[in-house]
Amino acid sequence: IPTVEGIYNISAGFEATEVYNSSVSEIMVLTVNPINDTHDTNFIVLSDDNYFDYFDSEGISTVLSPSGNYIIEIDEINNKNIQILSGFNITIRAKEGSGIINNGTIFVNGIDDDVESVIISGLTFNNTDDTAIEIGEYVSDINLTKNNIFVDGGSKSTGAYYSVYGINANGFITSMNIEDNNVTVVGTASYSYAIQLGAYDASSNPRDVIIKNNVIVMNGTARSGMIEGIYLDWVINALVENNNVDLCSINDVYVYGIQIADSSYLSIAEGNTDIMSPHNILITSNNFTLNSEYMVYGITVLDYGCDSSVNEYGQAKRNMLDLNTTICDNIIDAYSGRGLLGIVGNTYNMSVFGNNV
C-alpha cells in the first residue's frame, strides 16, 4: 500500500508490471481480468425489426442463455432497453457503422444471479432523461469502453431532487473499468452526474475500479442543485486517471469535478457491518475545467475512516483505517461567481502534490 511517496499501477486486462521512478517507493496493483469476446455460442445483430424476437417489453431476453456466452451487436434500437440479469462472458457492442441506442438503457444487475465478464463497447446513446448504462449489485469484471453517451435531463420532472446520469453504478461491484468514453449530460435536472458509483444500501463496498481516459462534458441550466463529473462513494482500490472534465452551470448550482464520498458512517450505524470507508484511491493526471455562478469544488474527499466496527452507542468508529488517498499531477482551472475550492478534504492520511490549480 502506497505511503506519501507511493503510486498506484493498475492494469486492465493484462498482468500488472511494476514501474518505478525517482518519486515512487511502493506500488499497489489492481487487475481487471481479461475478457474473451471470441466465443461463438450465441451471436445476434439487434435492431428495431427483430428486437421482440429476442427480448420482451422489459428488455429481458426470451432466447439467450441465462448462463451467458453470447454477443449482441447493436444496429439501431429506439425506446427499448436491454437487461442482463445473469451469466458470464457477455459482450454488447456496436455493429460496424451503427451501434445506436435512442432513449434506451442497458441494465446489468446480478442481484438474483451473479453477472461476470461483461463488455459494453462502441455504442452511441442519445437519451432524454434516461441513464445510458446502469450497473447493479453482484457484478464483476465489467468493461465500459469507447461509448458515446449523450443525456438531456430534466424534461420528465422539474422536482427539486430529480437526478440524471450518464453511467450509474450502485452496489457491490468488483473489477470495473470505465475507459475511453465520451459522456455528455445537459439540461435542467437538479442533480446531474456523468459517472456515478454509489453504494448506499449495498451489501459491500465496490472495489477495484478504473476510470481512465474519459471525456466528460456537462452543461446544466437548473436553477439550483448539483453537477458532478465523477462521484464515487465507499469505493476501495480506485484509479481515476487522465480524464478531461468540463463542467458548466449558469445558475446557483454546486459544481464538483470529482467527489469521493463516504456514506458508510450512516450505513454501519444502521446495521450493515460488511462495509467500510473508501480507501486506496489515486486521482492523477486529470484535467478539470469548471464554471458556475455558485460554488465550485475541484477535487473533494470526504472520508471518515470507518472499518465496520461500532462503539458502545452503536455508532461507526472513525479514524480506524489507513486511507492512503493520493491526489497528484492534476490540472484544475475553475471560475466561480460565489466561491471555489480547488482541492478540499474532510479526511486524513491524504497525499497531495504536483497539482496545478
Side-chain angles (χ1 to χ4, degrees):
I1 303 300
T3 58
V4 173
E5 294 82 17
I7 197 165
Y8 306 76
N9 182 37
I10 301 178
S11 173
F14 302 95
E15 290 298 322
T17 57
E18 295 187 344
V19 180
Y20 293 92
N21 61 40
S22 59
S23 64
V24 177
S25 65
E26 300 182 45
I27 293 174
M28 181 182 76
V29 177
L30 301 181
T31 300
V32 176
N33 293 331
I35 295 175
N36 178 9
D37 70 348
T38 62
H39 50 272
D40 57 5
T41 305
N42 284 293
F43 177 87
I44 63 173
V45 177
L46 191 66
S47 67
D48 274 343
D49 293 336
N50 67 1
Y51 175 87
F52 290 107
D53 294 337
Y54 299 101
F55 295 91
D56 65 17
S57 60
E58 300 298 318
I60 299 172
S61 178
T62 56
V63 175
L64 296 171
S65 171
S67 63
N69 289 309
Y70 55 79
I71 298 173
I72 303 172
E73 278 197 351
I74 305 294
D75 184 357
E76 181 175 340
I77 57 175
N78 296 276
N79 303 301
K80 297 175 178 68
N81 302 321
I82 296 173
Q83 294 198 52
I84 306 300
L85 303 178
S86 66
F88 300 78
N89 297 322
I90 298 166
T91 297
I92 306 175
R93 68 190 186 197
K95 177 185 176 183
E96 186 175 355
S98 188
I100 299 171
I101 298 177
N102 295 315
N103 292 318
T105 302
I106 296 176
F107 297 90
V108 183
N109 196 316
I111 190 67
D112 296 319
D113 195 348
D114 289 357
V115 179
E116 184 174 341
S117 299
V118 177
I119 298 172
I120 301 173
S121 181
L123 301 173
T124 297
F125 296 83
N126 297 300
N127 284 1
T128 300
D129 289 311
D130 294 323
T131 301
I133 301 171
E134 190 159 314
I135 313 299
E137 285 264 51
Y138 302 111
V139 175
S140 62
D141 294 338
I142 181 161
N143 281 258
L144 313 179
T145 60
K146 298 182 180 179
N147 299 289
N148 294 302
I149 295 170
F150 179 85
V151 178
D152 187 348
S155 64
K156 288 184 179 179
S157 173
T158 57
Y161 299 103
Y162 185 71
S163 302
V164 296
Y165 309 87
I167 297 171
N168 183 24
N170 191 80
F172 177 36
I173 301 163
T174 61
S175 298
M176 181 167 67
N177 182 41
I178 303 174
E179 187 168 356
D180 294 322
N181 301 283
N182 296 311
V183 184
T184 300
V185 180
V186 302
T188 59
S190 297
Y191 291 83
S192 298
Y193 304 85
I195 297 173
Q196 197 251 181
L197 174 57
Y200 194 73
D201 285 337
S203 60
S204 188
N205 297 73
R207 63 194 68 206
D208 301 346
V209 175
I210 300 169
I211 301 175
K212 183 176 180 181
N213 296 336
N214 301 285
V215 176
I216 295 171
V217 177
M218 304 181 73
N219 192 338
T221 55
R223 292 183 178 180
S224 62
M226 188 178 300
I227 290 175
E228 302 212 33
I230 301 170
Y231 176 88
L232 306 177
D233 191 4
W234 291 10
V235 67
I236 298 174
N237 299 342
L239 169 67
V240 181
E241 181 181 23
N242 199 37
N243 300 283
N244 286 304
V245 181
D246 190 337
L247 313 181
C248 180
S249 171
I250 62 173
N251 293 315
D252 289 346
V253 172
Y254 293 94
V255 167
Y256 288 83
I258 178 172
Q259 180 175 186
I260 308 300
D262 184 3
S263 60
S264 68
Y265 181 78
L266 295 175
S267 189
I268 293 169
E270 292 170 355
N272 187 350
T273 56
D274 291 325
I275 53 90
M276 59 187 69
S277 292
H279 56 276
N280 294 347
I281 297 168
L282 172 63
I283 302 170
T284 184
S285 303
N286 301 283
N287 193 331
F288 298 94
T289 303
L290 312 171
N291 291 274
S292 178
E293 291 304 313
Y294 203 57
M295 292 294 298
V296 171
Y297 302 85
I299 300 172
T300 303
V301 178
L302 304 176
D303 200 337
Y304 301 120
C306 303
D307 69 347
S308 303
S309 61
V310 297
N311 61 24
E312 64 271 26
Y313 303 106
Q315 300 169 329
K317 292 181 180 180
R318 301 189 183 193
N319 304 328
M320 303 297 291
L321 295 173
D322 292 327
L323 299 180
N324 297 311
T325 302
T326 301
I327 300 171
C328 64
D329 301 324
N330 300 283
I331 298 173
I332 302 173
D333 185 358
Y335 165 80
S336 170
R338 185 69 61 88
L340 62 87
L341 294 168
I343 299 173
V344 59
N346 181 2
T347 185
Y348 60 94
N349 190 208
M350 182 170 75
S351 300
V352 180
F353 59 90
N355 301 284
N356 187 347
V357 182

